[in-house]
């Protein structure tokens, strides 16, 4: 991990951009974090495009820092400034065509869009976690929040250092991920926008049902994909405070 820039935000949060090989990322730590008092860590998922997503990511990071958490994110494969991924671009184009035509999104399109992304992104998140936990001001336990729900599901299965996760049921889910969901056992907080125009509500409900966790809660609110109410974020923060502190 190589830090490439740093700044202190006006609320005292320390923001550092970094690279991990070719992967760019950002780390935010609360003013209270130090080697003698390391902060628990939340990994911030997103749909891709760090520059585009930055305003929402930094808002989530500031909110988490106020609760004493460090947060970090990395760019997804094929997104942002990372090298183009022709297969992923083709899958996104096929998805756009189907949605613009008002056609059902086929399993083949969803598989081509999501499964290779999960296979590539999850090991990168694990490598980032290795590097982040080597920093003296960062400690466990670790949570995962938001982003592509299939990436979070795979991480919850294969990464034992993640002890709680907050998912946003707002992305397409391949059928193969339902079997992985049954292997998830950590506490889950799942947010669903009831009128999400780009999401299959029934599939989201079926995925929640499939999760094998003994502690899981579904928080459904009226509104579209970008209409998540502020109190929903507050509830997610309380979830992480319960499980990471």
């Amino acid at each position: 991990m190589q830090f490439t820039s740093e700044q202190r935000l006006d609320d005292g949060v320390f923001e550092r951009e970094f690279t991990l090989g070719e992967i760019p990322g950002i780390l935010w730590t609360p003013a209270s974090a130090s080697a003698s008092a390391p902060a628990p860590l939340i990994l911030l998922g997103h749909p891709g495009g760090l520059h585009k997503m930055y305003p929402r990511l930094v808002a989530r990071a500031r909110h988490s820092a106020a609760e004493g958490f460090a947060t970090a994110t990395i760019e997804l494969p094929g997104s942002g400034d990372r090298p183009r991924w022709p297969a992923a671009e083709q899958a996104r184009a096929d998805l756009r065509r189907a949605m613009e035509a008002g056609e059902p999104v086929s399993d083949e399109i969803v598989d081509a869009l999501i499964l290779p992304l999960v296979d590539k992104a999850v090991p990168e998140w694990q490598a980032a976690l290795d590097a982040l936990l080597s920093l003296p001001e960062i400690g466990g336990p670790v949570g995962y929040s938001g982003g592509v729900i299939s990436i979070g599901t795979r991480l919850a299965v294969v990464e034992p250092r993640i002890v709680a996760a907050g998912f946003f049921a707002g992305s397409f889910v391949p059928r193969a991920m339902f079997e992985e969901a049954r292997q998830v056992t950590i506490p889950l907080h799942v947010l669903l926008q009831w009128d999400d125009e780009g999401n299959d509500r029934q599939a989201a409900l079926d995925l929640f049902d499939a999760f094998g966790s003994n502690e899981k809660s579904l928080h459904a609110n009226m509104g579209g994909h970008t209409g998540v109410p502020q109190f929903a974020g507050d509830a997610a923060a309380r979830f992480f405070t319960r499980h990471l502190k």
Side-chain angles (χ1 to χ4, degrees):
M1 173 181 282
Q2 179 178 356
F3 289 107
T4 58
S5 71
E6 61 181 48
Q7 64 171 328
R8 183 75 66 177
L9 304 182
D10 54 17
D11 53 2
V13 176
F14 191 34
E15 177 184 283
R16 286 172 283 178
E17 295 187 3
F18 64 85
T19 57
L20 190 67
E22 67 167 20
I23 307 167
I26 310 174
L27 169 65
W28 295 272
T29 48
S32 59
S34 66
S36 59
L41 176 65
I42 299 174
L43 303 176
L44 298 182
H46 60 89
L50 276 184
H51 295 306
K52 178 181 68 176
M53 293 300 301
Y54 176 81
R56 292 169 62 184
L57 287 166
V58 74
R60 291 164 64 190
R62 287 175 184 259
H63 196 180
S64 296
E67 302 297 325
F69 297 115
T71 50
T73 192
I74 57 174
E75 184 62 275
L76 290 183
S79 294
D81 295 329
R82 295 190 63 179
R84 298 297 92 196
W85 190 1
E89 292 183 348
Q90 182 61 53
R92 284 194 288 266
D94 292 342
L95 173 65
R96 283 195 300 272
R97 274 197 296 270
M99 296 185 72
E100 288 170 359
E103 300 172 351
V105 178
S106 69
D107 289 345
E108 290 76 15
I109 292 176
V110 174
D111 288 354
L113 182 69
I114 302 296
L115 291 177
L117 178 64
V118 172
D119 289 343
K120 190 170 179 63
V122 166
E124 293 181 350
W125 274 110
Q126 291 182 291
L129 187 53
D130 290 340
L132 291 162
L133 290 178
S134 72
L135 300 173
E137 68 272 29
I138 305 296
V142 179
Y144 176 86
S145 173
V148 177
I149 196 169
S150 293
I151 292 176
T153 299
R154 174 74 59 81
L155 275 169
V157 173
V158 303
E159 181 46 74
R161 292 172 292 185
I162 295 176
V163 302
F167 292 154
F168 179 43
S171 52
F172 293 101
V173 181
R175 293 184 184 277
M177 294 306 302
F178 282 76
E179 186 56 42
E180 294 194 36
R182 295 183 179 93
Q183 302 173 49
V184 174
T185 59
I186 62 175
L188 297 179
H189 178 102
V190 182
L191 177 64
L192 171 65
Q193 287 299 101
W194 200 250
D195 305 302
D196 193 331
E197 57 279 4
N199 190 35
D200 184 332
R201 181 197 302 162
Q202 190 58 53
L205 294 173
D206 291 344
L207 181 66
F208 178 79
D209 190 47
F211 285 125
S213 304
N214 288 328
E215 181 186 336
K216 58 181 180 179
S217 58
L218 179 67
H219 301 256
N221 296 287
M222 304 304 291
H225 188 83
T226 59
V228 180
Q230 178 60 47
F231 63 76
D234 296 339
R238 290 192 295 272
F239 166 81
F240 283 116
T241 297
R242 289 198 305 275
H243 292 287
L244 302 185
K245 284 194 170 181

